[in-house]
Amino acid sequence: MRERFWKYAKGDRIIWAVIFVLSIFSILAVYSSTGTLAYQRMGGNTTYYLIRHSVILFVGILIIFITHLIPYRYYSRLSQVFLYLVIPLLIVTLLAGTSFNQASRWLTLPGLGFTIQTSDFAKLALIMYIARALSLKQQVIKSYKEAFVPIMVPVILVCMLILPANLSTALILFGTSIILMFIGRISIKHLFAFAGIGVLVVSLFIGGAFLIDREGRISTWKNRIEDYISGESKENYQVKQSKIAIATGGLFGKKPGKSIQRNFLPNPYSDFIFAIIIEEYGLIFGGLPILFAYLFLLYRAGVIVKKSTQTFPAFLAIGLVITIVFQAMVNMAVAVNLFPVTGQTLPLISMGGSSLFFTSIAFGIILSVSRGIEKNQMDAEPVTT
Amino acid sequence: MSLKQDIVWRVGIVYLVIFFLALSIVGKILYLSFVKGQELSQKARSLTLKDITIDSNRGDIYSSGNRLLASSIPYYQIRMDLKSTAMQQKVFSEKVDSLAYCLSGLFKDKTPSEYKKELITARRNGERYHLIKRRVDYNQLQELKRFPIFRMGKYRGGFIYEQVNRRILPHHNLASRTIGYLTRGNSGNVVGIEGAYDHELKGAKGIRLMQKLSGNIWMPVKDGNEVEPKDGNDVVTTIDVNIQDVAESALLKQLMKHDAHHGTVVLMEVQTGDIKAIVNLEKDKNGIYRELYNYAIGESTEPGSTFKLASLIVALEDGVIHLDDTIDIGNGEIKYYDKIVRDTQKEGYGKITVKQAFEVSSNVGISKIINENYKGREHHFIDRLYSMNLNEKVGVEIKGEGTPEIKYPGDKLWSGISLPMISHGYEIRLTPLQILTFYNAVANNGKMVKPRFVREIRYHGKVLRSFDIKVLNPSICSGETIEKVKQLMEGVVENGTARNLKNSSVSIAGKTGTVQIANEKYGYKLESKISYQASFVGYFPADNPKYSCIVVVNSPSNSVYYGNLVAGPVFKEIADKVYATSLSLQDGFGDLKQRIVDPPYSKNGNYQDMMVVLKTIGIDIDGEEIISDWIITTKRDSFIELKNLLVRDEFVPNVVEMSMKDALYLLENAGLKVVAKGRGKVKSQSIPPGALINRGTTIILEMSFI
């Protein structure tokens, strides 16, 4: 079985291991935390969400498997196509998307009856595009006009299109882009200057939102930010419940399936799944393994960078890994109340279709790079020896 | 530095940054678990566990004849959670019309479109506890449960109902002030028996520990309750619904006739002090007489002439006068300092006896007797009054008894005219119940008993405690004096101010009283007319007192205000009716019993039950020695003959000639299914007696009256 798996699954085995560890936690935590949802929506059929989530995870792994088989060089060209595709999609979503929680984030794909969160797609497309652009411009990378501006324009465009519906995703994507550009050797001077401008724009946007004070999304963030600052309110309820989950979980947890807070935390299976994992498995059996899994992933991306002989695969792998790991860190930081509530999912662990599939594509691409590099080395080795 | 190295160190920096982020997450987890752990766990417990109290069932209040005077019935408050996460918008939009239509049809208070608008607005506002209707009964609740949307239940239909117990008085206004009420909340407004016996009635609340699941769903932690609720005890009062009804209608009639402001009647059983009836009626804003205030217990006023009894008891007890001593009342006026005391009959009586002075209620006569004999030793007179408990509350449990006021020589308000004024019932204050208690003591041969409102406390039909007769004063004066004053009171009806009560079917003894009202609330004037309080207090039958009664009618505005004319007729009507319905009061009942020579026909049935009935109505029995629980009866010339009816296990009993109740009991206990046809007693049974019982088979009974 194992032999057979590795026969087909190529690339970094540690990354594969990370995927499996996260998937196992995902199934356990989602099953435990969907009880209330099952009672509310499925008349108490608790296995419904277990099966549904397992199927989604299985499809996700299938997606990883398929995407990792595609040679990474195809992704270079694909990134351009994706970006051109994603910008109109974002506009359409913003104008006519399905409103969840008053945010136009979702787009129902015509004919498929399937909704996707366009920003998930945009994240993938933008990072891929930046990786490509960075590698193409390495000769003139310190130039403002030739490298900085051409890369920055799509970043700003995409982030601005995500921003009205999903502030936190826009910020995280912007941050990830800056980090990736930093790794890609863009002038630090330019980046700092621009980061400053970015902060200014966002501040103005939020400031404007506060002034306008309309019903809807704006007041949601307004509340969230105010809550984080003032430390008391309605939204703070989830933070309080999350803190209780973590505090009562302690080092060793209450044992699987014994969570109490899952009944009080809104979205215990997505935004606050980390709190439920800590509550049931504790820091030792739940928190640390997950943190290590993401840190390992980042470490292995570093290894890929080191091994890589070309810049595009290196940027592609590190960019996607940072996207995943950074989002994971933000999610966990929110759960432990280091950051204000954002609504970011925990990649590969939170329940969900669309975001999990895009995460899977990202993992697939990372593994494709890893596979390609291993192959190159193997091809190269006989020559050197 | 090569390009690769340049990239690798940058990756290293990013790695470090993220590693520190991870470290701080771990740090925060440790901080939350170890530093904040206890505080948060406590908070968790307070958020997820709670004790809910389970209300106990409040006890009932019964009349002396075991009729319900006050009881609790449940009603329901209907609310709706319009923001229930499980309520689908599609379902709501589709069904809101029919729900609104159903609600409008059931309650008929709003149109369907009003209901629809209300529901849609409430949903838009996200109301989770929207009030649909405050008070619905059980049947309406069952109907509501079947309404569209509601029938999807608490979660998906947002249907919430809460049981609330409401206190009802099956007899409405009847003695309602004395039965009383409890106001909800903390106002502490307790009235009547409900208030006085709240500690008995309320029972004990139960406690159940609940754990929160989600939303607003709570689940009991254990199967049972932590503390089981205990039902309240029942309070059995002394009030007799029939007498109460008689008293109320008699008083009401008179109040309406004289357009009085308010009136009160209290009827007491002489030997026990049992309050058989207590009526308080007051004209409300709309001119309707209702029980608004417990005047009998709460209102202290100057009693006037009814107090003359106490004055004469003192004088007779001290031997300073005799009934046939004469007093000169002159022209019916006497002056004490600047105060002129007048008799109601302006021409005066000249020389009359003490007995006559009492009978005609001569203010001059009585005040002269007391003033002449006690001037200079006023304290002796007042001490005597005090020794008859007249300065003490009778101590009823019901809240708000008025304090009696009889001042003492040397008090700030004591003056030269106090003695003569007190002697005929002024400058003192007593409540109607206090006066009645005093008169009752006279009727009870000097033994003063405390008015008793509650006879026993029961729990689920079992008597927990009964309240004994409480003697306030074993003997207020000598038996001789009692005999004398009884003559006086009989004389009032026979020859005096209450001659209009003479032709009653039962002999009455008592005293009239008419007093100008000196009530703080109304002053000496009400609607620019002098207002009066007419009263009559006494007992009946005069020769063997069974009941004492006081009637007070306040501020009759018509010119007829004398006690005998306003209060007397109420007393008479009550006495007549009570007499007519109380067999024990009537002479000749004993003879009547002897005359029953023809025993009634009786069905066969339960031995114990039969014996209770036969003994009560005094039917002689004869026949064999009864060893079984069931008997066969046969009517004989002067007695009923009893025979054993043997019921053996496994054999069909003989139920012919039995009532349905007994037959059903026997046959169903034996495991048979009973089908009865017709009405009356059992004429025949489809399975003959003595057959072996085959459990579950049907036995058909033919019933008939013949």
Side-chain angles (χ1 to χ4, degrees):
Chain A
M1 176 73 204
R2 189 184 284 178
E3 286 291 308
R4 261 172 116 185
F5 180 80
W6 292 124
K7 196 174 160 195
Y8 298 106
K10 300 292 177 192
D12 193 330
R13 291 191 177 190
I14 291 175
I15 295 179
W16 277 109
V18 164
I19 291 168
F20 286 114
V21 166
L22 295 181
S23 302
I24 287 163
F25 270 111
S26 180
I27 288 180
L28 292 175
V30 166
Y31 184 39
S32 169
S33 56
T34 47
T36 306
L37 197 67
Y39 270 92
Q40 285 177 11
R41 304 227 178 118
M42 307 313 302
N45 179 8
T46 49
T47 48
Y48 172 82
Y49 285 101
L50 174 68
I51 291 167
R52 194 185 134 196
H53 185 62
S54 304
V55 168
I56 287 172
L57 264 180
F58 182 77
V59 172
I61 287 172
L62 215 61
I63 291 172
I64 295 175
F65 189 76
I66 293 163
T67 37
H68 106 292
L69 288 178
I70 299 169
Y72 62 76
R73 61 176 189 279
Y74 290 113
Y75 292 119
S76 175
R77 174 58 64 186
L78 215 51
S79 71
Q80 269 181 307
V81 179
F82 278 2
L83 192 70
Y84 296 144
L85 202 63
V86 91
I87 289 170
L89 274 181
L90 282 172
I91 295 169
V92 171
T93 308
L94 205 54
L95 297 178
T98 315
S99 178
F100 271 89
N101 205 12
Q102 283 121 35
S104 297
R105 295 176 173 182
W106 298 81
L107 190 69
T108 308
L109 294 184
L112 290 173
F114 185 76
T115 57
I116 60 160
Q117 194 163 354
T118 336
S119 59
D120 285 326
F121 183 31
K123 260 191 296 199
L124 188 70
L126 185 65
I127 296 298
M128 285 167 73
Y129 180 81
I130 295 170
R132 173 191 153 90
L134 284 173
S135 77
L136 286 177
K137 309 243 182 233
Q138 277 305 311
Q139 303 307 318
V140 288
I141 200 72
K142 302 293 178 190
S143 155
Y144 176 75
K145 240 177 143 175
E146 303 216 23
F148 181 78
V149 173
I151 297 173
M152 213 53 183
V153 166
V155 170
I156 292 169
L157 190 63
V158 170
C159 288
M160 289 300 276
L161 285 173
I162 298 173
L163 184 88
N166 197 338
L167 176 70
S168 60
T169 301
L171 284 179
I172 289 167
L173 181 55
F174 186 74
T176 313
S177 305
I178 298 282
I179 292 169
L180 185 54
M181 284 158 79
F182 162 72
I183 290 169
R185 301 173 62 244
I186 291 279
S187 160
I188 294 171
K189 199 171 66 191
H190 295 156
L191 283 178
F192 266 114
F194 198 77
I197 292 169
V199 168
L200 195 73
V201 169
V202 171
S203 311
L204 281 176
F205 187 84
I206 295 171
F210 271 66
L211 286 178
I212 297 164
D213 191 16
R214 271 185 301 151
E215 294 279 313
R217 199 63 210 157
I218 292 168
S219 57
T220 307
W221 325 319
K222 206 183 115 174
N223 289 339
R224 283 180 176 172
I225 294 165
E226 278 173 352
D227 292 345
Y228 188 73
I229 296 164
S230 65
E232 53 173 290
S233 67
K234 260 195 287 172
E235 291 248 338
N236 211 306
Y237 169 81
Q238 16 186 302
V239 174
K240 199 200 301 176
Q241 298 299 345
S242 176
K243 285 204 287 200
I244 289 171
I246 289 162
T248 53
L251 285 185
F252 304 103
K254 293 177 184 165
K255 292 186 195 86
K258 301 272 184 192
S259 167
I260 290 173
Q261 293 305 105
R262 61 185 170 194
N263 295 322
F264 308 110
L265 267 171
N267 302 335
Y269 39 81
S270 65
D271 298 8
F272 283 93
I273 200 162
F274 187 63
I276 301 298
I277 291 172
I278 300 278
E279 189 188 6
E280 292 195 348
Y281 302 90
L283 176 64
I284 309 253
F285 302 114
L288 290 181
I290 287 172
L291 276 167
F292 277 128
Y294 287 115
L295 288 176
F296 257 117
L297 182 63
L298 188 58
Y299 171 72
R300 293 312 291 180
V303 170
I304 290 171
V305 170
K306 234 176 170 173
K307 279 187 186 167
S308 174
T309 50
Q310 285 170 288
T311 49
F312 174 67
F315 293 149
L316 187 61
I318 194 77
L320 291 174
V321 165
I322 288 172
T323 314
I324 292 166
V325 174
F326 194 47
Q327 186 186 332
M329 291 297 156
V330 169
N331 172 288
M332 291 185 275
V334 167
V336 301
N337 195 29
L338 277 175
F339 288 179
V341 177
T342 58
Q344 293 297 314
T345 54
L346 191 54
L348 221 54
I349 293 187
S350 293
M351 187 173 85
S354 153
S355 76
L356 198 134
F357 293 150
F358 283 107
T359 308
S360 301
I361 293 172
F363 269 104
I365 296 171
I366 295 161
L367 283 167
S368 155
V369 171
S370 160
R371 187 181 68 98
I373 288 166
E374 277 173 18
K375 203 169 160 239
N376 284 348
Q377 275 178 339
M378 272 199 277
D379 292 347
E381 263 163 26
V383 181
T384 48
T385 45
Chain B
M1 192 161 43
S2 76
L3 186 131
K4 187 176 226 170
Q5 277 173 318
D6 194 17
I7 293 172
V8 167
W9 76 260
R10 286 162 193 265
V11 171
I13 286 182
V14 172
Y15 188 86
L16 276 181
V17 170
I18 289 185
F19 183 73
F20 275 112
L21 190 54
L23 267 189
S24 45
I25 290 170
V26 172
K28 187 70 189 275
I29 292 171
L30 291 172
Y31 169 76
L32 286 175
S33 331
F34 293 102
V35 181
K36 294 279 208 171
Q38 211 157 7
E39 181 194 322
L40 286 167
S41 318
Q42 251 162 20
K43 198 180 271 174
R45 209 164 301 136
S46 72
L47 286 173
T48 57
L49 290 176
K50 71 173 178 188
D51 283 331
I52 58 159
T53 53
I54 307 163
D55 282 340
S56 51
N57 296 316
R58 192 172 173 83
D60 295 333
I61 298 179
Y62 287 97
S63 75
S64 65
N66 282 328
R67 282 163 75 174
L68 262 183
L69 294 178
S71 188
S72 297
I73 55 161
Y75 69 92
Y76 303 88
Q77 241 181 47
I78 307 299
R79 290 180 182 272
M80 189 174 181
D81 179 359
L82 285 136
K83 212 192 163 191
S84 172
T85 43
M87 188 190 289
Q88 290 164 359
Q89 181 59 39
K90 190 172 153 244
V91 174
F92 180 81
S93 323
E94 273 173 15
K95 300 280 178 65
V96 68
D97 276 307
S98 37
L99 176 60
Y101 180 79
C102 288
L103 285 172
S104 173
L106 180 65
F107 298 127
K108 296 183 175 60
D109 55 348
K110 291 177 202 161
T111 64
S113 65
E114 278 170 338
Y115 264 116
K116 185 185 170 187
K117 211 171 130 192
E118 178 189 317
L119 290 172
I120 287 173
T121 312
R123 178 156 170 96
R124 196 168 47 230
N125 297 340
E127 287 183 39
R128 305 216 64 163
Y129 199 52
H130 178 72
L131 181 68
I132 300 284
K133 192 81 186 164
R134 199 171 287 283
R135 193 179 280 184
V136 307
D137 63 27
Y138 181 78
N139 292 330
Q140 288 175 320
L141 175 71
Q142 296 308 316
E143 244 180 280
L144 280 161
K145 280 181 175 171
R146 292 195 297 268
F147 280 4
I149 302 184
F150 283 174
R151 64 172 158 244
M152 303 177 80
K154 182 181 174 180
Y155 219 88
R156 291 200 289 164
F159 184 59
I160 303 170
Y161 65 93
E162 287 159 359
Q163 184 181 328
V164 189
N165 287 324
R166 189 161 65 97
R167 205 67 174 159
I168 54 147
L169 305 180
H171 297 284
H172 304 288
N173 202 34
L174 207 65
S176 60
R177 198 69 202 182
T178 302
I179 295 165
Y181 58 83
L182 274 184
T183 39
R184 294 196 181 279
N186 300 323
S187 63
N189 207 351
V190 293
V191 173
I193 290 167
E194 291 271 15
Y197 289 87
D198 185 42
H199 58 284
E200 298 283 2
L201 290 162
K202 70 181 176 194
K205 287 188 170 167
I207 294 173
R208 181 184 288 170
L209 186 63
M210 304 286 278
Q211 183 171 39
K212 195 174 189 181
L213 287 187
S214 71
N216 226 354
I217 300 175
W218 291 81
M219 187 189 75
V221 175
K222 295 181 197 162
D223 280 345
N225 297 327
E226 260 44 41
V227 178
E228 290 293 337
K230 189 176 176 296
D231 289 348
N233 298 329
D234 296 334
V235 171
V236 182
T237 66
T238 54
I239 288 170
D240 181 310
V241 174
N242 296 325
I243 299 180
Q244 177 77 28
D245 192 32
V246 165
E248 186 175 311
S249 58
L251 179 66
L252 180 65
K253 201 160 60 181
Q254 198 71 349
L255 290 179
M256 282 163 65
K257 186 172 163 192
H258 295 285
D259 194 26
H261 179 264
H262 69 259
T264 180
V265 170
V266 186
L267 189 129
M268 193 161 160
E269 194 173 60
V270 168
Q271 284 183 1
T272 58
D274 282 355
I275 302 296
K276 290 287 171 189
I278 177 164
V279 186
N280 294 283
L281 291 175
E282 179 179 343
K283 193 158 64 170
D284 70 5
K285 282 179 300 212
N286 306 319
I288 294 164
Y289 288 99
R290 291 168 52 208
E291 291 243 353
L292 295 174
Y293 178 75
N294 209 326
Y295 285 101
I297 292 174
E299 190 189 43
S300 300
T301 57
E302 289 174 311
S305 303
T306 52
F307 195 73
K308 288 170 182 163
L309 177 71
S311 302
L312 282 190
I313 288 176
V314 173
L316 288 167
E317 192 74 353
D318 285 344
V320 295
I321 49 152
H322 301 281
L323 291 189
D324 40 13
D325 286 355
T326 53
I327 334 152
D328 186 0
I329 58 167
N331 62 351
E333 262 188 36
I334 188 167
K335 201 172 174 185
Y336 299 105
Y337 299 90
D338 57 343
K339 174 80 187 173
I340 298 166
V341 172
R342 285 188 184 86
D343 277 350
T344 45
Q345 203 159 338
K346 296 277 190 305
E347 308 82 48
Y349 300 93
K351 285 191 175 178
I352 56 172
T353 64
V354 169
K355 184 164 185 279
Q356 282 171 320
F358 187 82
E359 284 168 357
V360 301
S361 200
S362 166
N363 296 339
V364 176
I366 303 293
S367 63
K368 215 169 157 185
I369 293 168
I370 300 303
N371 200 43
E372 277 170 9
N373 289 296
Y374 292 96
K375 190 156 177 79
R377 49 184 197 119
E378 290 88 351
H379 59 91
H380 178 78
F381 177 72
I382 301 296
D383 282 341
R384 276 286 193 187
L385 294 180
Y386 283 8
S387 75
M388 296 188 288
N389 299 53
L390 283 165
N391 61 327
E392 287 164 26
K393 284 187 180 182
V394 296
V396 291
E397 294 76 10
I398 293 170
K399 227 178 134 185
E401 185 184 353
T403 314
E405 287 171 30
I406 299 178
K407 53 193 162 190
Y408 198 78
D411 283 355
K412 226 190 317 181
L413 292 169
W414 184 273
S415 73
I417 61 164
S418 289
L419 181 66
M421 291 309 284
I422 290 172
S423 73
H424 66 289
Y426 286 86
E427 293 197 9
I428 56 171
R429 283 165 177 278
L430 289 168
T431 64
L433 185 64
Q434 287 154 0
I435 294 173
L436 177 64
T437 305
F438 179 70
Y439 272 73
N440 191 74
V442 173
N444 199 19
N445 295 321
K447 188 164 144 190
M448 185 184 271
V449 293
K450 182 181 159 184
R452 184 165 68 170
F453 285 90
V454 171
R455 218 178 48 209
E456 58 195 30
I457 304 294
R458 289 198 303 220
Y459 180 71
H460 291 182
K462 208 177 75 203
V463 177
L464 293 182
R465 269 185 298 291
S466 29
F467 295 95
D468 292 331
I469 299 166
K470 196 178 169 203
V471 179
L472 297 174
N473 189 335
S475 176
I476 56 166
C477 62
S478 68
E480 236 171 286
T481 308
I482 292 290
E483 284 315 311
K484 286 176 189 165
V485 294
K486 276 186 171 174
Q487 280 179 44
L488 289 179
M489 286 195 276
E490 282 165 38
V492 170
V493 177
E494 205 61 40
N495 321 304
T497 49
R499 279 194 303 275
N500 58 330
L501 307 189
K502 213 159 116 181
N503 57 352
S504 170
S505 53
V506 58
S507 56
I508 295 170
K511 180 74 189 82
T512 56
T514 310
V515 75
Q516 280 195 342
I517 295 170
N519 187 305
E520 292 151 39
K521 219 158 127 194
Y522 311 111
Y524 271 95
K525 306 221 168 200
L526 178 67
E527 291 161 8
S528 75
K529 278 182 184 172
I530 299 170
S531 48
Y532 289 88
Q533 177 169 292
S535 57
F536 187 89
V537 52
Y539 53 86
F540 60 90
D543 49 346
N544 179 24
K546 177 85 167 108
Y547 295 111
S548 61
C549 178
I550 186 167
V551 178
V552 178
V553 176
N554 200 296
S555 63
S557 52
N558 295 356
S559 55
V560 187
Y561 53 76
Y562 295 113
N564 58 339
L565 296 175
V566 177
V570 180
F571 191 104
K572 181 171 176 282
E573 188 176 340
I574 294 169
D576 280 346
K577 287 204 175 145
V578 169
Y579 176 77
T581 50
S582 309
L583 294 176
S584 60
L585 289 188
Q586 293 168 7
D587 295 334
F589 180 72
D591 302 338
L592 210 67
K593 191 166 139 191
Q594 295 303 315
R595 285 201 300 274
I596 298 172
V597 283
D598 197 18
Y601 159 80
S602 171
K603 291 173 190 150
N604 295 347
N606 184 282
Y607 176 55
Q608 302 288 344
D609 292 353
M610 195 73 76
M611 286 313 288
V612 171
V613 176
L614 295 179
K615 264 186 190 156
T616 308
I617 57 175
I619 306 287
D620 290 332
I621 50 163
D622 207 344
E624 60 187 51
E625 191 194 346
I626 301 302
I627 49 159
S628 64
D629 291 337
W630 304 87
I631 46 166
I632 297 165
T633 63
T634 317
K635 185 188 147 187
R636 300 292 179 209
D637 281 349
S638 60
F639 61 92
I640 288 178
E641 187 189 344
L642 303 183
K643 277 186 203 149
N644 287 301
L645 194 165
L646 293 175
V647 176
R648 286 177 298 164
D649 289 348
E650 304 301 321
F651 294 99
V652 175
N654 184 358
V655 297
V656 172
E657 289 287 318
M658 278 193 186
S659 69
M660 186 69 193
K661 174 182 163 234
D662 286 338
L664 206 62
Y665 175 83
L666 275 172
L667 295 173
E668 289 198 337
N669 268 357
L672 293 166
K673 279 186 185 160
V674 179
V675 173
K677 290 177 179 165
R679 293 195 292 166
K681 62 186 178 188
V682 179
K683 271 327 257 189
S684 68
Q685 57 190 89
S686 65
I687 305 175
L692 260 174
I693 286 171
N694 189 2
R695 285 183 162 269
T697 50
T698 304
I699 181 166
I700 299 161
L701 303 182
E702 300 282 348
M703 315 291 290
S704 160
F705 282 111
I706 321 150

